[in-house]
Amino acid sequence: MPVTNQRVEANPCLDANASLGIDEACFSILNEYSRSVTLYSQVSDCYRCEDVPQAILPVGKNTTLVVPTKYPLYISYKEDDIYRCQTMFDFKEHGSYGWNISKEQGVCSEIYTIHEPINSYLPIFAAFMVYVLLMILFATVKVIVRVVKGRLAPDYIRDDLDELQETETPNPIVRTNRSSTRIRSVDTFRGIAILLMIFVNNGGGRYVFFNHSAWNGLTVADLVLPWFAWIMGFSIAISKRSELRVSSSRGKIILRCLQRAVILVLLGLMVNSIHAESLKDLRFPGVLQLLAVSYFVCATIETIFMWTHSQDVLLFGQFSILRDNLRNSAQWLIILAITATHTLITFLLPVPNCPTGYLGPGGYHQFGNFSNCTGGAAGYIDRLVFGSHMYSKTENPVYGTILPHDPEGLMNTVSIIFVVYMGIVAGRILLFYYQCNARVVRWLVYSAITGIIAGSLCHFDKESGVIPVSKKMMSLSFILTASCFAFLLYAILHFLVDYKQYWSGAPFIYAGLNPITLYVGHTLTMGLFPWAWKLVHATHWSVLAMNLWTTTLWGVIAYWLYLKDIIISI
């Protein structure tokens, strides 16, 4: 697909009644050359891609185009099969730029600014300040209310009901609810993941870093799903141990895991059916399906090999510092075997008419030589197994037209199992060690190890290395990177929320109580009022405001469920 966006109906750079859209700018090229030439361009993020023809530049005329501003552009013109005046320029939103092609062969001016662009990041700063002010206002109101209550009810004023209660009940009664018995840092982590997911799924303000990477690379949006999988694994370590204490049958625990997985799969298919015109178009893979399969695999392995409390006592002694790993060697071997199998299939499975071990998107990638190899072995397997029942979007914002590739397909589901197991490892640390320092140090060590291995695989670079970081492929370097940040984030949350109690976890902790409910709810209501509405003229200001409103509204719903003590679990 062309990287420039020259509208057929009206060119907003030439029509005063039209306006530029999000991430668009005007680019005027004056051709003073001796003949017409073809303008070529390509986005800088397109790795090893040939430039794409965009427009014919007539002799002696000024041609004005609409160009995208999401990524810097490589600009050139072609004459006698030779690219001339090749340059890269970072166009800014709603700016107007000029470029002169000289009469002399291959001599061009620098790209210059005609009208200054707008600051497209100002809405983010404004939204941040608004939320900070609201938090300060809320905290101030709480303090004032406490002070007023203290003044209205001094220690020497007591009513008859208070005295009667103290006479009849010498020990105070502590009210508990379902949420009061939960680990606050876990719900806070889960709430961060689900609210970020809602924000990202609704558009993320149409900012590049709040949307998924075109293929390789890492954005905030890319971390949301693996973080959710990681904290799911954390919960598995805690819940299965509790279930084993009250249940004598591991088989019953596995059956309950299977039941939950089936329900998640059915919910996932229901969510997918919203966008399907018929059963022929129903997408089988999906986020909930990926979570269901990885949950069942990891929960089953943990249930089968989990030690009882009496067996744990045997490891106390000179090796107690490593007891969380020593007692789980069987689980480690199985998970590493699954990961190794995924890696071998990725790099050794022959794919027709494609290089073995290809991990790219196809399309323009590698100068278009592998345009029909999207996703390599993973994409090939998904297209073979699912056919038309998979993610069907084939237009990539960077690499043009690619083959169907499902980011939650079979191979990616196998890959995410490792992330879930990393969450289980983190959960065991919480269970086996009782001092905050012992826990945090271990989480930080795991963060460092996974981060270093990931960096070694990708050479700490976006495109190079043995295995690039790619959320689309759920590559090994990506799942290690996601695990690295998950360990780090949870260590911080545990210290702040559970240990020091500097922060209650609000407002994220409320969303963490009902994550599946919020995910299904926001998917079913996406685009519907009052969560969203149609924008006549979309800008970063309006889109970001609407996306934040959608996320905030679901946060309010989560808080209401918390107040009603409603926790919908599967």
Side-chain angles (χ1 to χ4, degrees):
M1 69 184 269
V3 295
T4 57
N5 185 16
Q6 187 174 14
R7 299 176 182 175
V8 177
E9 67 278 6
N11 188 331
C13 298
L14 302 175
D15 188 350
N17 295 322
S19 57
L20 288 166
I22 294 177
D23 296 323
E24 289 183 343
C26 295
F27 186 37
S28 299
I29 308 101
L30 177 61
N31 181 15
E32 298 178 339
Y33 197 55
S34 57
R35 55 178 166 171
S36 297
V37 295
T38 303
L39 180 74
Y40 284 76
S41 71
Q42 186 57 269
V43 295
S44 61
D45 271 34
C46 198
Y47 184 63
R48 294 184 178 178
C49 302
E50 287 188 350
D51 291 347
V52 179
Q54 303 301 331
I56 302 296
L57 305 179
V59 178
K61 292 187 177 181
N62 196 355
T63 304
T64 302
L65 307 172
V66 178
V67 295
T69 62
K70 279 184 177 292
Y71 310 97
L73 290 180
Y74 287 110
I75 303 291
S76 64
Y77 73 88
K78 196 171 187 180
E79 188 249 342
D80 295 333
D81 293 328
I82 298 175
Y83 290 106
R84 302 190 184 278
C85 294
Q86 291 179 317
T87 184
M88 186 180 74
F89 192 80
D90 189 7
F91 295 92
K92 299 298 183 181
E93 186 176 16
H94 293 187
S96 181
Y97 303 89
W99 194 40
N100 299 336
I101 298 176
S102 175
K103 295 179 181 179
E104 299 182 25
Q105 187 181 45
V107 178
C108 305
S109 71
E110 297 289 334
I111 296 177
Y112 53 90
T113 301
I114 300 173
H115 295 295
E116 291 294 331
I118 64 172
N119 187 347
S120 59
Y121 301 110
L122 186 59
I124 298 178
F125 176 76
F128 175 77
M129 293 304 299
V130 167
Y131 276 93
V132 169
L133 290 175
L134 288 175
M135 290 172 60
I136 294 174
L137 179 62
F138 181 73
T140 304
V141 170
K142 286 181 65 176
V143 171
I144 293 174
V145 169
R146 288 176 182 175
V147 171
V148 170
K149 284 185 176 180
R151 290 179 177 177
L152 293 179
D155 295 338
Y156 58 82
I157 298 179
R158 313 177 67 85
D159 57 26
D160 295 337
L161 180 59
D162 290 335
E163 294 178 0
L164 181 62
Q165 288 177 339
E166 287 190 60
T167 303
E168 296 180 352
T169 56
N171 296 321
I173 298 175
V174 179
R175 293 184 178 180
T176 62
N177 53 31
R178 297 178 66 184
S179 61
S180 64
T181 59
R182 299 166 67 95
I183 302 174
R184 301 182 69 85
S185 57
V186 174
D187 286 329
T188 303
F189 188 107
R190 191 185 291 113
I192 292 173
I194 191 61
L195 289 181
L196 268 177
M197 187 179 292
I198 292 173
F199 177 66
V200 166
N201 288 351
N202 279 275
R206 301 275 292 274
Y207 288 101
V208 173
F209 41 82
F210 287 143
N211 284 269
H212 295 294
S213 301
W215 200 262
N216 292 339
L218 191 69
T219 66
V220 175
D222 295 329
L223 293 173
V224 172
L225 178 56
W227 278 2
F228 197 89
W230 188 90
I231 201 65
M232 181 177 68
F234 197 106
S235 300
I236 288 173
I238 298 171
S239 62
K240 299 311 159 193
R241 188 175 180 87
S242 299
E243 289 179 33
L244 187 61
R245 287 178 176 175
V246 300
S247 174
S248 58
S249 173
R250 296 176 190 256
K252 290 182 179 179
I253 298 176
I254 294 175
L255 285 176
R256 283 196 292 269
C257 293
L258 178 61
Q259 179 184 10
R260 187 183 188 196
V262 170
I263 294 174
L264 285 174
V265 168
L266 293 176
L267 282 175
L269 292 174
M270 180 191 72
V271 168
N272 287 354
S273 67
I274 299 174
H275 307 288
E277 295 181 2
S278 66
L279 289 178
K280 292 181 180 180
D281 304 320
L282 180 61
R283 179 190 175 202
F284 289 164
V287 171
L288 293 181
Q289 294 90 313
L290 176 143
L291 293 175
V293 174
S294 57
Y295 166 82
F296 178 70
V297 171
C298 290
T300 300
I301 294 172
E302 185 69 5
T303 301
I304 292 174
F305 295 100
M306 188 188 309
W307 283 23
T308 61
H309 178 71
S310 59
Q311 291 172 307
D312 286 338
V313 176
L314 298 176
L315 285 177
F316 280 85
Q318 75 180 99
F319 296 110
S320 62
I321 193 172
L322 300 173
R323 61 182 178 272
D324 57 315
N325 287 312
L326 290 176
R327 60 166 291 239
N328 299 296
S329 56
Q331 291 98 308
W332 270 109
L333 289 174
I334 294 173
I335 296 299
L336 291 177
I338 292 173
T339 305
T341 301
H342 175 273
T343 305
L344 291 174
I345 293 174
T346 299
F347 286 98
L348 299 180
L349 181 71
V351 178
N353 303 316
C354 296
T356 304
Y358 180 72
L359 299 174
Y364 298 141
H365 186 247
Q366 294 290 359
F367 308 107
N369 293 325
F370 311 127
S371 58
N372 294 323
C373 300
T374 302
Y380 173 70
I381 291 173
D382 287 341
R383 290 187 291 272
L384 193 66
V385 173
F386 298 120
S388 62
H389 298 285
M390 60 182 292
Y391 193 68
S392 58
K393 187 177 180 181
T394 57
E395 289 300 320
N396 187 283
V398 170
Y399 292 100
T401 302
I402 62 176
L403 294 182
H405 172 265
D406 205 302
E408 285 84 44
L410 284 177
M411 289 288 285
N412 287 7
T413 300
V414 173
S415 182
I416 205 72
I417 289 173
F418 183 85
V419 178
V420 178
Y421 187 72
M422 287 294 96
I424 292 176
V425 171
R428 292 200 200 106
I429 291 174
L430 184 73
L431 291 172
F432 295 156
Y433 302 97
Y434 303 106
Q435 293 183 341
C436 179
N437 290 343
R439 293 169 172 173
V440 170
V441 166
R442 283 167 174 80
W443 288 324
L444 294 179
V445 167
Y446 273 108
S447 177
I449 292 174
T450 52
I452 291 171
I453 297 175
S456 301
L457 291 174
C458 69
H459 289 180
F460 294 93
D461 185 72
K462 180 179 178 180
E463 298 289 353
S464 62
V466 180
I467 306 178
V469 173
S470 174
K471 191 269 178 185
K472 301 286 187 182
M473 294 289 294
M474 290 288 179
S475 63
L476 181 58
S477 57
F478 171 76
I479 62 175
L480 285 168
T481 302
S483 299
C484 164
F485 286 116
F487 277 111
L488 178 61
L489 177 59
Y490 187 78
I492 295 172
L493 291 178
H494 177 74
F495 180 81
L496 295 178
V497 177
D498 293 335
Y499 181 60
K500 290 295 186 179
Q501 297 184 2
Y502 291 146
W503 178 33
S504 66
F508 303 105
I509 192 171
Y510 311 123
L513 296 172
N514 288 287
I516 300 299
T517 302
L518 266 62
Y519 176 80
V520 174
H522 102 272
T523 305
L524 295 176
T525 60
M526 191 175 294
L528 301 179
F529 188 83
W531 290 272
W533 49 89
K534 187 175 181 180
L535 297 171
V536 177
H537 178 61
T539 64
H540 277 302
W541 282 98
S542 59
V543 175
L544 180 64
M546 185 174 66
N547 297 158
L548 287 174
W549 162 254
T550 303
T551 308
T552 302
L553 186 56
W554 280 109
V556 172
I557 293 172
Y559 182 64
W560 178 82
L561 292 173
Y562 160 77
L563 292 178
K564 296 296 183 179
D565 198 23
I566 299 174
I567 299 178
I568 303 174
S569 57
I570 297 175

